DNA sequence: CCTGCCTGCCC
DNA sequence: ATTCTGC
DNA sequence: GCAGAATGGGCAGGCAGG
């Protein structure tokens, strides 16, 4: 029953030990395999805050608005009371649990089953069009009115797909593999079974496809039973972060590897499937189907493919491109997403390819990058300005100057930096050293792919900003202020002008310091603006007295529809500036608040980009 | 039909 | 996306 | 080092309400 599942969630939440999480889930899934196999797939999806595989539509369209209405209708919680409770708990499930009242209904309640809850979530997701908000609300009310008190917390958390149990996809996969070993009484160690299941899932991320095969035939036959498939996206391989070119090179020096360096374009990652009938699917980094967004890419792919190419899965970066220049990520974002037709395209794009994972019926995942790259080149013909290969050079760790120069060029060409990829698997003869794999490893972040991004490097520009306000944190940050509103200084007007919120880079110890310093009741904080020197278009829950300076790092300066900093100084627009990827670096105790970065400085940084 | 809020998803 | 935390 | 969690700017799409 759903109550049992909620008890499992409670147990998971009560400990942070990963071993405990695994034991709890392994036992539970084992029991389901024996007594309630129909609930396995729903449990796998719900436990991982999803309702289906990522490449199918899987959002609920339920947010704070509908939740607020539901809490009001179910338990009579007013919106003022909701705000209070939310500030206190920082979790919608905890708020619902605290608000629970036995419904006065004379109708007999029927206990919730796992499949009933899951089916209802699916129906909520399918509900759309005029009146859909009320229809979704009705589904929610139906579940809530039949729920026991202990089910309320996780029901509401599932409505917003944020369970916060501490166990997600990797834990579920591990536990599923272990449970299948126990269930099938296989004479096998857990670890190879876990690896077999994960390998399968990462190249075919569908519990719907995998779980029935796992339960019937065990994890080891998945390699044959559940192979890479066209129009089912695999999880992309990821790159490890490095600090700068020299740190990256010193990592590779240990292995004496030869590698390729590629421009890291600032666009959207795309995985493109072509089948023998000429059907093309395009998937995003998170495996959303975005085929409808790029009819121009589809038509160019069909033109570019070599006569000998029947089918493939290739990967690249789609970049906004106006025929001669690469445009910013922000320009790409403004492109239409649904029902795009070839004659209605307003933002031109170019595709820069860098990998191929499947060709003419065969998986290439186990081929080294050097071979894959050759096959990629042979599988299609470049169409200049439409479909090209990423800009790249091959190098070894001795070529520091060459690589550094290439990195600088990439930044000048409006890229984020470079990707560095090992071309051939390094034969490991030295004991204790992990192999450096040149194969395509879905979902893995290995040292055989490394990122060097311009904003990671030490010389990257930073801003000195003044904190001017905050909100209540959620979840694990519920006891602290998060995010925090930051401002730059406008000396002309003698004002601190909001420029972005920030929630990254703070340690727990620093959060505690802030909680003490900006405690409610102190002179440092108020629900009303404390200082007439503060200007913000965005109203924080609490205003802070401007009194300290923090250094922050960022990816880019963006033109903002919301923030007004520098608005008079940005050409051709009345919009201000803001910050992409802001994160806290350190306090600047040596600076007074009027020594903070000025609006002019921000505008200069923007113009320099 | 238009506007503004909400939501999900790209980075 | 970035970053921190516990295991 | 893995796995999970919190949440940044900013966009289109979609719904509600005038």
């Amino acid at each position: 029953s759903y109550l049992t599942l909620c008890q499992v969630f409670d147990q998971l939440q009560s400990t942070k030990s990963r071993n405990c999480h695994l034991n709890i889930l392994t036992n539970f899934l084992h029991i389901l395999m024996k007594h309630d196999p129909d609930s396995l797939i729903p449990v796998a999806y719900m436990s991982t805050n999803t309702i289906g595989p990522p490449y199918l539509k899987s959002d609920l369209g339920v947010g704070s608005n509908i939740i607020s209405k539901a809490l009001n209708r179910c338990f009579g919680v007013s919106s003022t009371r909701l705000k209070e409770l939310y500030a206190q708990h920082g979790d919608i499930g905890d708020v619902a649990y605290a608000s629970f009242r036995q419904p006065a209904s004379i109708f007999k309640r029927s206990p919730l089953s796992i499949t009933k809850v899951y089916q209802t979530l699916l129906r909520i997701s399918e509900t759309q069009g005029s009146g859909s908000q009320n229809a979704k609300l009705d589904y929610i009310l139906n579940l809530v009115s039949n729920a026991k008190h202990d089910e309320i917390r996780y029901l509401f958390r599932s409505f917003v797909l944020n369970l916060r149990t501490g166990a997600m996809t990797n834990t579920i996969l591990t536990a599923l593999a272990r449970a299948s070993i126990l269930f099938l009484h296989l004479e096998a160690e857990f670890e190879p079974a876990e690896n077999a299941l994960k390998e399968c899932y990462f190249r075919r991320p569908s519990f719907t496809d995998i779980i029935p095969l796992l339960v019937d035939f065990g994890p080891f036959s998945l390699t044959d039973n559940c192979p890479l498939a066209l129009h089912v996206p695999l999880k992309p391989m990821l790159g490890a972060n490095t600090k700068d070119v020299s740190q990256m090179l010193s990592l590779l020096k240990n292995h004496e590897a030869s590698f390729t360096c590629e421009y890291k374009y600032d666009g959207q990652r795309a995985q493109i499937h072509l089948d023998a009938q000429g059907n093309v699917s395009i998937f995003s980094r998170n495996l959303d189907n975005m085929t409808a967004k790029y009819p121009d890419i589809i038509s160019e792919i069909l033109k570019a493919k070599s006569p000998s190419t029947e089918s493939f899965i290739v990967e690249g970066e789609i970049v906004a491109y106006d025929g001669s220049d690469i445009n910013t990520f922000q320009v790409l974002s403004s492109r239409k997403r649904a029902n795009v037709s070839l004659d209605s395209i307003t933002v031109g794009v170019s595709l820069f390819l860098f990998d191929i994972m499947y060709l003419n019926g065969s998986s290439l995942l186990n081929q080294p990058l050097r071979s894959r790259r050759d096959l990629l080149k042979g599988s299609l013909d470049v169409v200049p300005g439409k479909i090209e290969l990423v800009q790249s050079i091959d190098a070894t760790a001795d070529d520091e100057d060459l690589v550094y120069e290439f990195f600088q060029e990439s930044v000048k060409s409006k890229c984020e930096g470079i990707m560095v990829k090992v071309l051939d698997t390094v034969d490991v003869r030295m004991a204790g050293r992990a192999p450096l794999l040149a194969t395509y490893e879905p979902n893995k972040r290995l040292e055989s792919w490394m990122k060097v991004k311009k904003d990671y490097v030490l010389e990257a520009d930073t801003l000195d900003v003044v904190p001017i306000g905050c909100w209540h944190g959620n979840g694990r940050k519920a006891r602290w202020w998060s995010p925090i509103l930051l401002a730059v200084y406008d000396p002309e007007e003698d004002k601190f002008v909001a420029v972005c919120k920030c929630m990254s880079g703070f340690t727990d110890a620093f959060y505690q310091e802030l909680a003490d310093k900006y405690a409610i009741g102190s002179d440092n904080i108020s629900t009303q603006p404390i200082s007439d020197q503060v200007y913000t278009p965005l109203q924080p829950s609490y205003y802070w007295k401007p009194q300290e300076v923090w250094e922050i790092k960022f990816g880019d300066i963006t033109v903002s529809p919301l923030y007004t900093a520098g608005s008079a100084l940005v050409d051709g627009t009345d919009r201000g500036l803001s910050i992409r990827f802001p994160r806290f670096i350190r306090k600047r105790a040596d600076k007074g608040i009027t020594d903070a970065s000025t609006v002019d400085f921000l505008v200069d940084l923007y113009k320099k980009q």
Side-chain angles (χ1 to χ4, degrees):
Chain A
S1 70
Y2 186 63
L3 185 60
T4 317
L5 178 60
C6 290
Q7 286 160 354
V8 169
F9 290 155
D10 260 333
Q11 287 178 52
L12 292 172
Q13 195 186 232
S14 71
T15 172
K16 284 176 179 165
S17 158
R18 270 150 64 177
N19 286 335
C20 288
H21 285 168
L22 283 174
N23 290 339
I24 292 161
L25 282 167
T26 304
N27 287 336
F28 181 61
L29 293 168
H30 183 194
I31 290 167
L32 287 184
M33 284 175 188
K34 282 201 276 196
H35 302 296
D36 186 12
D38 288 347
S39 290
L40 276 171
I41 292 171
V43 164
Y45 285 125
M46 288 196 288
S47 303
T48 53
N49 294 321
T50 56
I51 53 166
Y55 47 91
L56 302 179
K57 179 189 153 41
S58 59
D59 57 292
L60 259 45
V62 172
S64 54
N65 208 30
I66 295 178
I67 292 294
S68 166
K69 284 183 194 163
L71 284 171
N72 183 271
R73 289 261 221 104
C74 298
F75 309 134
V77 182
S78 71
S79 82
T80 321
R81 180 73 185 133
L82 174 59
K83 269 182 202 151
E84 274 172 33
L85 286 168
Y86 200 79
Q88 184 189 338
H89 289 98
D91 178 291
I92 203 62
D94 292 355
V95 169
Y97 185 83
S99 313
F100 181 80
R101 276 198 340 234
Q102 201 68 244
S105 162
I106 52 166
F107 299 107
K108 183 106 172 86
R109 287 151 62 227
S110 56
L112 295 175
S113 68
I114 291 170
T115 44
K116 152 104 181 181
V117 173
Y118 178 67
Q119 291 299 331
T120 308
L121 293 178
L122 283 181
R123 292 214 186 87
I124 291 173
S125 140
E126 288 156 3
T127 304
Q128 53 184 343
S130 183
S132 61
Q133 299 257 306
N134 279 332
K136 284 171 199 267
L137 188 55
D138 286 342
Y139 282 123
I140 289 174
L141 297 183
N142 177 276
L143 285 181
V144 172
S145 62
N146 286 302
K148 300 192 176 69
H149 194 187
D150 287 337
E151 294 169 325
I152 287 294
R153 171 176 285 121
Y154 299 103
L155 216 37
F156 273 82
R157 287 187 188 176
S158 275
F159 294 149
V160 294
L161 295 180
N162 186 6
L163 233 35
R164 288 199 256 244
T165 59
M168 281 291 289
T169 315
N170 281 292
T171 313
I172 292 289
L173 286 170
T174 309
L176 270 173
R178 293 184 182 189
S180 74
I181 294 291
L182 299 174
F183 173 66
L184 296 167
H185 305 287
L186 299 180
E187 294 288 329
E189 299 289 326
F190 282 153
E191 201 181 324
E194 293 159 11
N195 292 339
L197 175 58
K198 285 181 188 173
E199 202 182 294
C200 175
Y201 180 84
F202 294 145
R203 66 164 187 269
R204 180 102 169 230
S206 165
F207 288 123
T208 317
D209 289 355
I210 293 177
I211 284 180
L213 296 168
L214 176 72
V215 172
D216 284 352
F217 308 110
F220 299 108
S221 55
L222 290 172
T223 314
D224 299 326
N225 286 343
C226 204
L228 193 61
L230 282 172
H231 305 299
V232 179
L234 62 148
K235 294 271 200 171
M237 185 166 173
L238 306 166
N241 282 340
T242 58
K243 213 173 87 267
D244 53 29
V245 168
S246 66
Q247 191 216 3
M248 179 277 293
L249 288 177
S250 68
L251 284 166
L252 288 174
K253 230 167 227 161
N254 296 332
H255 295 278
E256 295 179 30
S258 61
F259 51 84
T260 182
C261 304
E262 302 171 342
Y263 278 12
K264 189 177 188 307
Y265 299 88
D266 191 6
Q268 181 173 26
R269 192 160 174 177
Q271 188 185 121
I272 301 170
H273 295 229
L274 165 75
D275 67 25
Q277 287 72 48
N279 301 308
V280 178
S281 303
I282 306 179
F283 299 97
S284 74
R285 188 204 129 112
N286 294 319
L287 312 190
D288 250 36
N289 194 324
M290 51 177 189
T291 309
K293 183 175 174 183
Y294 292 114
D296 40 353
I297 298 278
I298 293 176
S299 113
E300 296 298 336
I301 281 280
L302 292 171
K303 276 189 245 167
K305 81 178 185 84
S306 309
S308 61
T309 303
E310 277 194 355
S311 60
F312 60 44
I313 302 175
V314 293
E315 192 172 33
E317 188 85 2
I318 295 174
V319 182
Y321 189 74
D322 67 7
S324 57
D325 277 321
I326 288 177
N327 276 324
T328 62
F329 175 76
Q330 228 170 337
V331 169
L332 180 66
S333 303
S334 71
R335 187 176 157 119
K336 296 270 173 287
R337 294 167 197 178
N339 305 317
V340 178
S341 62
L342 275 173
D343 52 11
S344 71
I345 288 167
T346 51
V347 177
V349 293
S350 182
L351 169 66
F352 292 94
L353 291 166
F354 53 75
D355 218 322
I356 182 165
M357 296 86 100
Y358 181 94
L359 179 62
N360 296 340
S362 301
S363 166
L364 304 178
L365 299 181
N366 293 323
Q367 301 278 328
L369 177 57
R370 192 184 293 279
S371 315
R372 296 204 306 278
R373 201 173 55 170
D374 288 343
L375 291 166
L376 175 62
K377 285 176 189 166
S379 68
L380 36 66
D381 298 314
V382 160
V383 186
K386 301 287 184 188
I387 298 186
E388 302 187 29
L389 299 174
V390 288
Q391 191 75 35
S392 73
I393 55 165
D394 291 357
T396 69
D398 297 329
D399 302 325
E400 174 145 13
D401 291 347
L402 182 70
V403 173
Y404 190 69
E405 198 183 314
F406 186 72
F407 172 76
Q408 299 285 39
E409 272 172 32
S410 82
V411 174
K412 269 195 213 120
S413 312
K414 296 186 177 173
C415 291
E416 298 180 282
I418 56 174
M419 292 296 298
V420 178
K421 300 173 180 174
V422 172
L423 284 165
D424 314 286
T425 291
V426 176
D427 194 358
V428 199
R429 295 195 182 82
M430 285 167 289
R433 176 149 296 161
L436 210 48
L437 297 171
T439 45
Y440 193 97
E441 301 291 324
N443 201 53
K444 290 196 181 144
R445 198 184 286 282
L446 303 173
E447 276 185 1
S448 43
W449 280 26
M450 289 191 280
K451 292 190 269 194
V452 186
K453 285 185 67 168
K454 63 180 197 281
D455 58 308
Y456 299 160
V457 306
L458 209 58
E459 320 87 77
D461 291 309
T462 61
L463 278 178
D464 295 320
V465 293
V466 178
I468 57 167
C470 68
W471 288 262
H472 284 283
N474 292 309
R476 72 175 296 279
K477 296 188 180 178
R479 295 159 43 224
W480 295 314
W481 299 130
S482 178
I484 290 157
L485 186 60
L486 303 175
V488 289
Y489 183 54
D490 180 350
E492 305 274 314
E493 304 283 331
D494 190 29
K495 278 196 188 307
F496 296 97
V497 187
V499 69
C500 69
K501 291 185 274 186
C502 185
M503 46 62 64
S504 191
F506 303 110
T507 61
D508 286 5
F510 190 68
Y511 276 123
Q512 189 55 55
E513 262 182 56
L514 294 178
D516 294 338
K517 180 168 183 178
Y518 297 93
I520 291 170
S522 79
D523 295 342
N524 294 329
I525 187 166
S526 165
T527 53
Q528 301 305 314
I530 298 178
S531 160
D532 56 13
Q533 281 183 294
V534 164
Y535 176 76
T536 169
L538 192 64
Q539 199 190 333
S541 296
Y542 295 90
Y543 290 86
W544 289 6
K545 186 160 86 183
Q547 57 184 299
E548 58 182 316
V549 178
W550 295 352
E551 183 177 0
I552 61 166
K553 226 175 179 189
F554 54 89
D556 293 294
I557 314 282
T558 57
V559 178
S560 173
L562 174 65
Y563 294 96
T564 58
S567 56
L569 302 164
V570 180
D571 298 331
T573 168
D574 57 353
R575 300 157 110 195
L577 297 175
S578 190
I579 301 297
R580 180 149 81 138
F581 310 144
R583 61 262 197 194
F584 173 81
I585 300 300
R586 59 177 172 140
K587 276 207 280 200
R588 288 296 303 261
D590 55 316
K591 284 200 163 191
I593 51 175
T594 55
D595 303 322
S597 298
T598 61
V599 172
D600 286 358
F601 180 70
L602 181 69
V603 172
D604 285 347
L605 286 181
Y606 169 69
K607 288 182 173 163
K608 219 173 67 182
Q609 279 177 180

